[in-house]
Amino acid sequence: MGGLFQPNHLAFTLPIRLLKNMKQKNRSELTIYLAQQNYHIGNFEANTTKILAAIQEAKSQKADLIIFSELCICGYPPKDFLEFDDFILKSEQAIDRIKKETTDIAVLLGAPSRNPKPEGKNLFNSAYFLFEQEVTAIINKTLLPNYDVFDEYRYFEPSFTWNVVPFKGRNLAITICEDIWNLMDDPLYRICPMDLLMPQSPDLMINLSASPFDYVHGEGRLHIIRENVAKYQLPMIYCNTVGAQTELVFDGNSVVMNSKGDLMLQLPAFEEASGMITLQSDGSINGKPTTPVHALKEREVIPERFEEAHHIDLVHRAIVVGIQDYFRKMNFKEAIVASSGGIDSAVVLALASEALGANNVRALLLPSQFSSDHSVADAVTLSKNLGNPYDILAIQPVFDSMMQVLNPIFEDRPFSLAEENLQSRIRGNLVMALANKFNYILLNTSNKSELSTGYGTLYGDMAGGLGVLGDVYKQQVYQLARFINREREIIPNNILTKAPSAELRPGQKDSDSLPDYAVMDAILYQYIERRQGPKEIIALGFDEALVFRILGMVNRNEYKRNQFCPIIRVSPKAFGTGRRMPIVGKYLG
Amino acid sequence: MGGLFQPNHLAFTLPIRLLKNMKQKNRSELTIYLAQQNYHIGNFEANTTKILAAIQEAKSQKADLIIFSELCICGYPPKDFLEFDDFILKSEQAIDRIKKETTDIAVLLGAPSRNPKPEGKNLFNSAYFLFEQEVTAIINKTLLPNYDVFDEYRYFEPSFTWNVVPFKGRNLAITICEDIWNLMDDPLYRICPMDLLMPQSPDLMINLSASPFDYVHGEGRLHIIRENVAKYQLPMIYCNTVGAQTELVFDGNSVVMNSKGDLMLQLPAFEEASGMITLQSDGSINGKPTTPVHALKEREVIPERFEEAHHIDLVHRAIVVGIQDYFRKMNFKEAIVASSGGIDSAVVLALASEALGANNVRALLLPSQFSSDHSVADAVTLSKNLGNPYDILAIQPVFDSMMQVLNPIFEDRPFSLAEENLQSRIRGNLVMALANKFNYILLNTSNKSELSTGYGTLYGDMAGGLGVLGDVYKQQVYQLARFINREREIIPNNILTKAPSAELRPGQKDSDSLPDYAVMDAILYQYIERRQGPKEIIALGFDEALVFRILGMVNRNEYKRNQFCPIIRVSPKAFGTGRRMPIVGKYLG
């Protein structure tokens, strides 16, 4: 994981300054345009159109070179699409089309390339340098992340050759994303591509990235850029992708840093943007230094304690982008949310309204005989505050008819979990019936605390196309609610102050079945984000029995999460593709 | 993927025969016991107990050495459990316990070991050689599979040292699973561990495996063993694990081959077993050669045409084991199946009855107003033939009450997909209500053709804890049915002969919405198992529009499969962890 910059084995030992002085000569200015764009996986047509538009704009601004992000042609991560030859062919056709537009400008962009050698994997993760209608260089990625959500070693051959790309009197040291991270927990990371490029006297480092957001990663990224600049005493242009693709949200935050470590350009977080800088004849970069936004200030460290894992403004923004792009890329317009009057559905409604527009988010209130009056009242107030269309459908008649149908089998057995789940699933049915009838996408409201402990009903409240809060612990849901209410009371205060309840039996409270959320979230955070075992967690001062109880819940409920929809990832360890646990039925770890 | 044995780059060139003659001397016999066992991931207690019992048995039979399979201590695949220190600690404690029992016998078993070096990943996938209460050698796996269902490079450092293990006058060349496969689609596979061991004059090859079943893999495995024996002119002992862990089924099929390529011992498929052989002083193996079972006769090739992808007897057995072990390892006893009178639920009921006992499988018939009379009659006959308990609950009253509740919103809109799905979801609710009330596990009946094309209802017929037929195309479901009926009519013939229908609207047939299954399955097989693109599939003679229609359905419905339960894997490319596709909403590949 991480982002800790480590000394490497093949460290470059030549005196860099001396080398630079030797090759200092008069060169013309180089104007470089950065395109921070939002791509759609496999949508070559849309991605190419977007890339071509930026090239036209850069040409009109007389840029010498335009830089796009990693695998921009096909979108990131393309996953097993890479195993299909026609997918690679389409990528090559797109490059051919773009190549034709490189008469007055050079283009640097990311795309897969074929490995010409018979041995090794079929593909490289590459940067294409296009100029004067030719592919003048292909640079391959060396360090292939294969942890958490990343599977690059499943598809790509690592590079084993390193060359600068000469362009208009400058030597460009081009790397791809992880290549500048030099993490030491991967054997391939013993190679440091920049060390190997230094003997060729580069003038400028350029990194093409597809580096996803999590609430600590932005900090780590700027730290790494700084460390590279400090080590090699070269300016760096860092171009990241932006926008969400199902679970992953890319935050952009592309930057240009001069060789002294000043931030000379900083593109905004979470939106498409472009910028232009000039590399002057003396190697400096034009303009005045800018101050880093707070997302980019420190070394990346997963905080030791849950209480320090905040950045709720960024989490808020990432989720909004995650919803927005899921709908846009899947060609959906309207969402539906089962609105219970509780904190989770309230926060989802507010986030979805911000992402899609309040009139595109329909709230469905589905009270049962166990719903308290305030639940309906609070949910109604919320939707009035937001401006959502909403409906109220009482589920009692359906529940009664279900129980009647089941009666020959259930007979007079007492009310139990089966009847609780039944209510949740009737709600799931009704909200899905509306979704199917009117083409809504059901947004799921389960939070990370519930998903961790299995406190949810499969096919009931666990239904939905996208997990909006699945990477947000209950405590963080409250933080989000307070953030949403930062200017005015959008979510009724009563929703923030009442005790959480599933309202599936008379007087039920979450605290009947679950430990206190504050303690539970802190333990879950140690186990899930920080990969601590029971011994380490107990050593932090938590009750032993409670720790084992909670870890047991997490492991036992893997089968439920296995059937859960994609979750918008905002933490360094989200449920989904980044956390791969066997289904074992009990705590065995 | 594969299993094609390729020449390797570091090929050993010394004259092997000469070397062997040089070191030929009088040695005593070596008696070796193979333990083909079924492990449970993370269940160190159960696994250790099982291993200790086999050691006792081997001691009582005066064996010199007992061999277990890859990662037997923790079960395979342990996945992200490997990232927890306490998991590794428990593994080490288990080895300490076993070590104490090695006074009169040597033990060779698989377990993770820590990488003592600071660089590289933290763990190796290792074989421990235990003798006289000591760990006398640790051999690390070199070739770490990182394709399909495998993620070993996510966790393990590859070995970069190779040494034989001397034991009682013999040099043992010990490798782990993939180490003998030498696949060339992975750059690490350029290393051939056996080539590197040959200069140390080994007398015997031993391979510890956890090699899962698919309907072509068994053939490939024996082929590889033969190729190794032929190349190195040494006997090989191949010890594989057996039994299922959620989606993966291990078929065992452990073998001993003498240096001439004769099969000297062959443990049965799909069950725990043990065997003993003696390596005689001249290097030969005692006993008479045996004939390979038909699962182990040829080189592994994914057949070019769907019609050739059979082995239905093995698929049948694998699924039965898959159900059995899922229940046993999760500590479940009874299953429930929604029995529609169609072919899929009929086959699931038959397989589950074989796996769990007919009285542990409850059939729930849930007819609607659209169900034909024969559906109920056929389902009743089936359960009578099998001996399942069954119940009939008509869903009409629930459907009516749902429609009444929805009426203020649906008004007089025409019957549509929403109402079709609603029926399927009501069935899902009712069968889950029984599952929750009586602690049944719902077995899912969706087949691979339906899952491919999205012909199923999320939270309805797509509900369930285990996908029994999710890796079996509709044509293969019929083959399974005929196989089940091979001796007598268990599944009523009418179920095999009537046209498939979801019966969700009057007179509905699958063929109203789907292409002919025979053609569709053949196209799906090319796309999914064989990774062919539209151009290649059309070139096989399939209609262009139909190919694009079907591939579009596959891609569009990724979001549904993303929420599906684990599927028992029987093919070389199953939905689930082995097939990682982005959710893109349309055919873009």
Short mmCIF file of all heavy atoms in Angstrom, two decimals, chain A residues 134-181:
data_model
loop_
_atom_site.label_atom_id
_atom_site.label_comp_id
_atom_site.label_asym_id
_atom_site.label_seq_id
_atom_site.Cartn_x
_atom_site.Cartn_y
_atom_site.Cartn_z
N GLU A 134 3.57 10.82 -36.52
CA GLU A 134 4.25 9.56 -36.26
C GLU A 134 4.21 9.23 -34.76
O GLU A 134 4.14 10.14 -33.94
CB GLU A 134 5.75 9.65 -36.67
CG GLU A 134 6.01 9.84 -38.14
CD GLU A 134 5.62 8.62 -38.98
OE1 GLU A 134 5.62 7.50 -38.41
OE2 GLU A 134 5.32 8.80 -40.17
N VAL A 135 4.28 7.94 -34.45
CA VAL A 135 4.56 7.54 -33.07
C VAL A 135 6.07 7.61 -32.92
O VAL A 135 6.79 6.76 -33.44
CB VAL A 135 4.07 6.11 -32.78
CG1 VAL A 135 4.41 5.71 -31.35
CG2 VAL A 135 2.57 5.99 -33.01
N THR A 136 6.59 8.63 -32.27
CA THR A 136 8.04 8.78 -32.20
C THR A 136 8.66 8.04 -31.02
O THR A 136 9.85 7.77 -31.02
CB THR A 136 8.45 10.27 -32.17
OG1 THR A 136 7.83 10.88 -31.06
CG2 THR A 136 8.00 10.98 -33.43
N ALA A 137 7.85 7.73 -30.02
CA ALA A 137 8.37 6.94 -28.90
C ALA A 137 7.21 6.26 -28.17
O ALA A 137 6.10 6.79 -28.13
CB ALA A 137 9.14 7.82 -27.93
N ILE A 138 7.50 5.07 -27.64
CA ILE A 138 6.56 4.42 -26.73
C ILE A 138 7.33 4.12 -25.45
O ILE A 138 8.38 3.47 -25.48
CB ILE A 138 5.98 3.12 -27.33
CG1 ILE A 138 5.09 3.46 -28.54
CG2 ILE A 138 5.17 2.36 -26.29
CD1 ILE A 138 4.47 2.25 -29.22
N ILE A 139 6.84 4.66 -24.34
CA ILE A 139 7.50 4.46 -23.04
C ILE A 139 6.60 3.51 -22.24
O ILE A 139 5.39 3.73 -22.13
CB ILE A 139 7.65 5.80 -22.29
CG1 ILE A 139 8.47 6.77 -23.12
CG2 ILE A 139 8.27 5.56 -20.92
CD1 ILE A 139 7.64 7.69 -23.99
N ASN A 140 7.19 2.48 -21.67
CA ASN A 140 6.38 1.49 -20.95
C ASN A 140 6.52 1.65 -19.44
O ASN A 140 7.58 1.99 -18.93
CB ASN A 140 6.80 0.09 -21.37
CG ASN A 140 6.64 -0.12 -22.86
OD1 ASN A 140 5.69 0.40 -23.47
ND2 ASN A 140 7.57 -0.85 -23.47
N LYS A 141 5.44 1.35 -18.76
CA LYS A 141 5.42 1.43 -17.30
C LYS A 141 6.25 0.29 -16.71
O LYS A 141 6.16 -0.85 -17.17
CB LYS A 141 3.98 1.34 -16.81
CG LYS A 141 3.75 1.60 -15.34
CD LYS A 141 2.25 1.67 -15.04
CE LYS A 141 1.94 1.99 -13.60
NZ LYS A 141 0.48 2.16 -13.37
N THR A 142 7.03 0.62 -15.70
CA THR A 142 7.89 -0.36 -15.06
C THR A 142 7.22 -0.97 -13.83
O THR A 142 7.20 -2.18 -13.65
CB THR A 142 9.21 0.31 -14.62
OG1 THR A 142 9.77 0.97 -15.75
CG2 THR A 142 10.19 -0.71 -14.08
N LEU A 143 6.71 -0.11 -12.98
CA LEU A 143 6.17 -0.56 -11.69
C LEU A 143 4.66 -0.74 -11.81
O LEU A 143 3.92 0.23 -11.95
CB LEU A 143 6.52 0.46 -10.61
CG LEU A 143 8.03 0.77 -10.48
CD1 LEU A 143 8.29 1.65 -9.27
CD2 LEU A 143 8.86 -0.50 -10.40
N LEU A 144 4.23 -1.98 -11.75
CA LEU A 144 2.84 -2.32 -12.01
C LEU A 144 2.14 -2.63 -10.69
O LEU A 144 2.37 -3.69 -10.11
CB LEU A 144 2.80 -3.52 -12.95
CG LEU A 144 3.47 -3.30 -14.31
CD1 LEU A 144 3.65 -4.61 -15.06
CD2 LEU A 144 2.69 -2.30 -15.16
N PRO A 145 1.31 -1.72 -10.22
CA PRO A 145 0.67 -1.97 -8.91
C PRO A 145 -0.21 -3.22 -8.96
O PRO A 145 -0.96 -3.42 -9.91
CB PRO A 145 -0.14 -0.71 -8.66
CG PRO A 145 -0.32 -0.07 -10.00
CD PRO A 145 0.88 -0.45 -10.81
N ASN A 146 -0.11 -4.03 -7.94
CA ASN A 146 -0.84 -5.30 -7.87
C ASN A 146 -1.34 -5.54 -6.44
O ASN A 146 -1.22 -6.62 -5.91
CB ASN A 146 0.08 -6.44 -8.32
CG ASN A 146 -0.68 -7.60 -8.93
OD1 ASN A 146 -1.38 -7.42 -9.91
ND2 ASN A 146 -0.59 -8.77 -8.32
N TYR A 147 -1.88 -4.49 -5.85
CA TYR A 147 -2.37 -4.55 -4.48
C TYR A 147 -3.69 -3.80 -4.42
O TYR A 147 -4.05 -3.09 -5.37
CB TYR A 147 -1.35 -3.92 -3.52
CG TYR A 147 -0.96 -2.51 -3.92
CD1 TYR A 147 -1.73 -1.41 -3.57
CD2 TYR A 147 0.18 -2.29 -4.70
CE1 TYR A 147 -1.38 -0.13 -3.95
CE2 TYR A 147 0.54 -1.01 -5.09
CZ TYR A 147 -0.25 0.07 -4.71
OH TYR A 147 0.08 1.35 -5.11
N ASP A 148 -4.41 -3.95 -3.33
CA ASP A 148 -5.67 -3.26 -3.13
C ASP A 148 -6.55 -3.39 -4.39
O ASP A 148 -6.83 -4.50 -4.81
CB ASP A 148 -5.43 -1.80 -2.74
CG ASP A 148 -6.71 -1.13 -2.21
OD1 ASP A 148 -7.25 -1.62 -1.21
OD2 ASP A 148 -7.17 -0.15 -2.81
N VAL A 149 -6.98 -2.30 -4.99
CA VAL A 149 -7.86 -2.38 -6.16
C VAL A 149 -7.09 -2.65 -7.45
O VAL A 149 -7.69 -2.80 -8.52
CB VAL A 149 -8.68 -1.08 -6.34
CG1 VAL A 149 -9.59 -0.86 -5.14
CG2 VAL A 149 -7.78 0.14 -6.55
N PHE A 150 -5.76 -2.69 -7.38
CA PHE A 150 -4.96 -2.76 -8.60
C PHE A 150 -4.58 -4.19 -8.96
O PHE A 150 -4.18 -4.97 -8.11
CB PHE A 150 -3.67 -1.94 -8.43
CG PHE A 150 -3.93 -0.50 -8.12
CD1 PHE A 150 -3.71 0.01 -6.85
CD2 PHE A 150 -4.42 0.35 -9.09
CE1 PHE A 150 -3.96 1.33 -6.55
CE2 PHE A 150 -4.68 1.68 -8.81
CZ PHE A 150 -4.45 2.18 -7.53
N ASP A 151 -4.64 -4.48 -10.25
CA ASP A 151 -4.31 -5.81 -10.77
C ASP A 151 -3.42 -5.69 -12.01
O ASP A 151 -3.52 -6.50 -12.92
CB ASP A 151 -5.59 -6.53 -11.20
CG ASP A 151 -6.29 -7.22 -10.05
OD1 ASP A 151 -5.60 -7.80 -9.20
OD2 ASP A 151 -7.53 -7.18 -9.99
N GLU A 152 -2.55 -4.69 -12.06
CA GLU A 152 -1.88 -4.43 -13.33
C GLU A 152 -0.96 -5.56 -13.77
O GLU A 152 -0.74 -5.76 -14.97
CB GLU A 152 -1.11 -3.10 -13.28
CG GLU A 152 -2.06 -1.93 -13.25
CD GLU A 152 -1.40 -0.60 -13.58
OE1 GLU A 152 -0.36 -0.57 -14.26
OE2 GLU A 152 -1.93 0.42 -13.13
N TYR A 153 -0.42 -6.30 -12.81
CA TYR A 153 0.47 -7.39 -13.17
C TYR A 153 -0.30 -8.56 -13.80
O TYR A 153 0.29 -9.47 -14.37
CB TYR A 153 1.25 -7.86 -11.94
CG TYR A 153 2.46 -8.64 -12.31
CD1 TYR A 153 3.53 -8.03 -12.95
CD2 TYR A 153 2.53 -10.00 -12.08
CE1 TYR A 153 4.64 -8.76 -13.33
CE2 TYR A 153 3.64 -10.73 -12.46
CZ TYR A 153 4.68 -10.10 -13.08
OH TYR A 153 5.77 -10.83 -13.46
N ARG A 154 -1.63 -8.52 -13.66
CA ARG A 154 -2.47 -9.52 -14.33
C ARG A 154 -2.41 -9.35 -15.86
O ARG A 154 -2.62 -10.31 -16.59
CB ARG A 154 -3.90 -9.32 -13.83
CG ARG A 154 -4.97 -10.27 -14.32
CD ARG A 154 -6.28 -9.95 -13.59
NE ARG A 154 -7.44 -10.59 -14.17
CZ ARG A 154 -7.96 -11.75 -13.76
NH1 ARG A 154 -7.41 -12.40 -12.77
NH2 ARG A 154 -9.04 -12.24 -14.33
N TYR A 155 -2.13 -8.12 -16.31
CA TYR A 155 -2.25 -7.83 -17.74
C TYR A 155 -0.95 -7.41 -18.40
O TYR A 155 -0.75 -7.65 -19.58
CB TYR A 155 -3.27 -6.70 -17.95
CG TYR A 155 -4.54 -6.90 -17.20
CD1 TYR A 155 -4.84 -6.16 -16.05
CD2 TYR A 155 -5.45 -7.87 -17.62
CE1 TYR A 155 -6.02 -6.37 -15.35
CE2 TYR A 155 -6.63 -8.08 -16.92
CZ TYR A 155 -6.91 -7.33 -15.78
OH TYR A 155 -8.06 -7.56 -15.10
N PHE A 156 -0.13 -6.70 -17.66
CA PHE A 156 0.97 -5.98 -18.29
C PHE A 156 2.34 -6.58 -18.00
O PHE A 156 2.61 -7.05 -16.89
CB PHE A 156 0.99 -4.52 -17.85
CG PHE A 156 -0.22 -3.74 -18.27
CD1 PHE A 156 -1.07 -3.18 -17.31
CD2 PHE A 156 -0.51 -3.56 -19.61
CE1 PHE A 156 -2.19 -2.46 -17.70
CE2 PHE A 156 -1.63 -2.83 -20.01
CZ PHE A 156 -2.47 -2.28 -19.04
N GLU A 157 3.20 -6.48 -19.00
CA GLU A 157 4.61 -6.79 -18.87
C GLU A 157 5.30 -5.53 -18.35
O GLU A 157 5.04 -4.44 -18.84
CB GLU A 157 5.13 -7.16 -20.28
CG GLU A 157 6.59 -7.42 -20.39
CD GLU A 157 6.99 -8.78 -19.85
OE1 GLU A 157 6.13 -9.51 -19.33
OE2 GLU A 157 8.18 -9.10 -19.93
N PRO A 158 6.16 -5.67 -17.35
CA PRO A 158 6.88 -4.47 -16.91
C PRO A 158 7.96 -4.08 -17.91
O PRO A 158 8.52 -4.93 -18.59
CB PRO A 158 7.50 -4.90 -15.58
CG PRO A 158 7.53 -6.39 -15.61
CD PRO A 158 6.49 -6.86 -16.56
N SER A 159 8.26 -2.79 -17.97
CA SER A 159 9.32 -2.32 -18.85
C SER A 159 10.68 -2.74 -18.30
O SER A 159 10.88 -2.75 -17.08
CB SER A 159 9.28 -0.81 -18.96
OG SER A 159 10.31 -0.36 -19.82
N PHE A 160 11.59 -3.06 -19.19
CA PHE A 160 12.97 -3.31 -18.77
C PHE A 160 13.97 -2.49 -19.59
O PHE A 160 15.15 -2.79 -19.62
CB PHE A 160 13.30 -4.81 -18.81
CG PHE A 160 12.65 -5.58 -17.68
CD1 PHE A 160 11.63 -6.48 -17.92
CD2 PHE A 160 13.05 -5.35 -16.37
CE1 PHE A 160 11.03 -7.17 -16.87
CE2 PHE A 160 12.46 -6.04 -15.32
CZ PHE A 160 11.44 -6.95 -15.56
N THR A 161 13.46 -1.48 -20.29
CA THR A 161 14.36 -0.53 -20.95
C THR A 161 13.89 0.87 -20.61
O THR A 161 12.69 1.11 -20.46
CB THR A 161 14.37 -0.69 -22.48
OG1 THR A 161 13.02 -0.54 -22.96
CG2 THR A 161 14.91 -2.03 -22.91
N TRP A 162 14.83 1.79 -20.50
CA TRP A 162 14.50 3.15 -20.06
C TRP A 162 15.27 4.15 -20.92
O TRP A 162 16.51 4.12 -20.94
CB TRP A 162 14.85 3.32 -18.58
CG TRP A 162 14.08 2.35 -17.74
CD1 TRP A 162 12.84 2.53 -17.20
CD2 TRP A 162 14.47 1.03 -17.37
NE1 TRP A 162 12.42 1.40 -16.53
CE2 TRP A 162 13.41 0.46 -16.62
CE3 TRP A 162 15.61 0.25 -17.62
CZ2 TRP A 162 13.46 -0.83 -16.10
CZ3 TRP A 162 15.65 -1.04 -17.11
CH2 TRP A 162 14.58 -1.56 -16.36
N ASN A 163 14.53 5.01 -21.58
CA ASN A 163 15.16 6.02 -22.42
C ASN A 163 14.41 7.34 -22.31
O ASN A 163 13.16 7.35 -22.27
CB ASN A 163 15.15 5.57 -23.89
CG ASN A 163 16.12 4.43 -24.12
OD1 ASN A 163 17.33 4.59 -23.92
ND2 ASN A 163 15.60 3.28 -24.48
N VAL A 164 15.15 8.42 -22.30
CA VAL A 164 14.50 9.73 -22.36
C VAL A 164 14.00 9.93 -23.80
O VAL A 164 14.45 9.27 -24.73
CB VAL A 164 15.45 10.88 -21.97
CG1 VAL A 164 15.89 10.74 -20.52
CG2 VAL A 164 16.64 10.97 -22.91
N VAL A 165 13.03 10.85 -23.93
CA VAL A 165 12.52 11.19 -25.26
C VAL A 165 13.01 12.59 -25.61
O VAL A 165 12.65 13.55 -24.92
CB VAL A 165 10.97 11.15 -25.26
CG1 VAL A 165 10.43 11.60 -26.61
CG2 VAL A 165 10.49 9.73 -24.94
N PRO A 166 13.87 12.71 -26.63
CA PRO A 166 14.34 14.04 -27.01
C PRO A 166 13.23 14.79 -27.74
O PRO A 166 12.55 14.21 -28.58
CB PRO A 166 15.52 13.75 -27.96
CG PRO A 166 15.54 12.27 -28.17
CD PRO A 166 14.37 11.66 -27.52
N PHE A 167 13.05 16.06 -27.39
CA PHE A 167 12.01 16.86 -28.05
C PHE A 167 12.40 18.33 -27.98
O PHE A 167 12.56 18.88 -26.88
CB PHE A 167 10.66 16.63 -27.38
CG PHE A 167 9.53 17.43 -28.00
CD1 PHE A 167 9.15 17.21 -29.33
CD2 PHE A 167 8.87 18.40 -27.26
CE1 PHE A 167 8.13 17.95 -29.89
CE2 PHE A 167 7.83 19.14 -27.83
CZ PHE A 167 7.47 18.92 -29.14
N LYS A 168 12.60 18.92 -29.14
CA LYS A 168 12.94 20.33 -29.25
C LYS A 168 14.07 20.73 -28.29
O LYS A 168 13.93 21.69 -27.50
CB LYS A 168 11.71 21.20 -29.02
CG LYS A 168 10.62 20.96 -30.08
CD LYS A 168 9.61 22.08 -30.19
CE LYS A 168 8.73 21.87 -31.44
NZ LYS A 168 7.66 22.87 -31.55
N GLY A 169 15.15 19.97 -28.32
CA GLY A 169 16.33 20.32 -27.53
C GLY A 169 16.25 19.96 -26.07
O GLY A 169 17.17 20.24 -25.29
N ARG A 170 15.13 19.33 -25.67
CA ARG A 170 15.02 18.88 -24.27
C ARG A 170 14.96 17.35 -24.23
O ARG A 170 14.41 16.73 -25.15
CB ARG A 170 13.75 19.39 -23.59
CG ARG A 170 13.51 20.88 -23.63
CD ARG A 170 14.63 21.64 -22.94
NE ARG A 170 14.21 22.89 -22.35
CZ ARG A 170 13.82 23.96 -23.02
NH1 ARG A 170 13.70 23.96 -24.34
NH2 ARG A 170 13.50 25.08 -22.37
N ASN A 171 15.45 16.79 -23.15
CA ASN A 171 15.27 15.36 -22.91
C ASN A 171 14.16 15.15 -21.88
O ASN A 171 14.27 15.62 -20.74
CB ASN A 171 16.57 14.73 -22.40
CG ASN A 171 17.60 14.60 -23.51
OD1 ASN A 171 17.24 14.52 -24.70
ND2 ASN A 171 18.87 14.58 -23.14
N LEU A 172 13.12 14.49 -22.30
CA LEU A 172 11.98 14.28 -21.40
C LEU A 172 12.09 12.91 -20.73
O LEU A 172 12.23 11.89 -21.39
CB LEU A 172 10.67 14.36 -22.20
CG LEU A 172 10.51 15.56 -23.15
CD1 LEU A 172 9.15 15.50 -23.85
CD2 LEU A 172 10.66 16.87 -22.37
N ALA A 173 12.02 12.92 -19.40
CA ALA A 173 12.01 11.66 -18.63
C ALA A 173 10.55 11.34 -18.34
O ALA A 173 9.94 11.93 -17.45
CB ALA A 173 12.80 11.82 -17.35
N ILE A 174 10.00 10.42 -19.11
CA ILE A 174 8.56 10.14 -19.02
C ILE A 174 8.35 8.86 -18.21
O ILE A 174 8.95 7.82 -18.49
CB ILE A 174 7.96 10.00 -20.44
CG1 ILE A 174 8.14 11.33 -21.20
CG2 ILE A 174 6.50 9.59 -20.37
CD1 ILE A 174 7.94 11.22 -22.70
N THR A 175 7.50 8.96 -17.21
CA THR A 175 7.15 7.79 -16.40
C THR A 175 5.63 7.71 -16.29
O THR A 175 4.92 8.65 -16.61
CB THR A 175 7.75 7.89 -14.98
OG1 THR A 175 7.32 9.12 -14.38
CG2 THR A 175 9.27 7.84 -15.01
N ILE A 176 5.17 6.54 -15.82
CA ILE A 176 3.73 6.33 -15.71
C ILE A 176 3.39 6.00 -14.26
O ILE A 176 3.88 5.03 -13.69
CB ILE A 176 3.27 5.22 -16.67
CG1 ILE A 176 3.62 5.63 -18.12
CG2 ILE A 176 1.77 4.97 -16.54
CD1 ILE A 176 3.38 4.57 -19.16
N CYS A 177 2.58 6.85 -13.68
CA CYS A 177 1.97 6.68 -12.36
C CYS A 177 2.92 6.06 -11.33
O CYS A 177 3.91 6.68 -10.95
CB CYS A 177 0.69 5.86 -12.51
SG CYS A 177 -0.51 6.16 -11.17
N GLU A 178 2.70 4.82 -10.95
CA GLU A 178 3.48 4.12 -9.92
C GLU A 178 4.99 4.19 -10.12
O GLU A 178 5.76 4.04 -9.16
CB GLU A 178 3.02 2.65 -9.92
CG GLU A 178 3.24 1.91 -8.63
CD GLU A 178 2.09 2.02 -7.66
OE1 GLU A 178 1.12 2.77 -7.93
OE2 GLU A 178 2.16 1.38 -6.60
N ASP A 179 5.45 4.42 -11.35
CA ASP A 179 6.89 4.46 -11.64
C ASP A 179 7.65 5.42 -10.73
O ASP A 179 8.85 5.24 -10.49
CB ASP A 179 7.13 4.90 -13.09
CG ASP A 179 6.92 3.76 -14.09
OD1 ASP A 179 6.88 2.60 -13.66
OD2 ASP A 179 6.80 4.06 -15.29
N ILE A 180 6.97 6.47 -10.23
CA ILE A 180 7.67 7.42 -9.36
C ILE A 180 7.45 7.12 -7.89
O ILE A 180 7.90 7.85 -7.02
CB ILE A 180 7.27 8.90 -9.65
CG1 ILE A 180 5.76 9.10 -9.51
CG2 ILE A 180 7.75 9.33 -11.03
CD1 ILE A 180 5.34 10.58 -9.45
N TRP A 181 6.73 6.03 -7.60
CA TRP A 181 6.38 5.76 -6.19
C TRP A 181 7.39 4.87 -5.49
O TRP A 181 7.51 4.92 -4.26
CB TRP A 181 4.96 5.16 -6.09
CG TRP A 181 3.91 6.20 -6.28
CD1 TRP A 181 3.56 6.79 -7.47
CD2 TRP A 181 3.10 6.82 -5.29
NE1 TRP A 181 2.59 7.72 -7.27
CE2 TRP A 181 2.27 7.76 -5.94
CE3 TRP A 181 2.98 6.67 -3.91
CZ2 TRP A 181 1.35 8.55 -5.25
CZ3 TRP A 181 2.05 7.44 -3.22
CH2 TRP A 181 1.25 8.38 -3.89
#
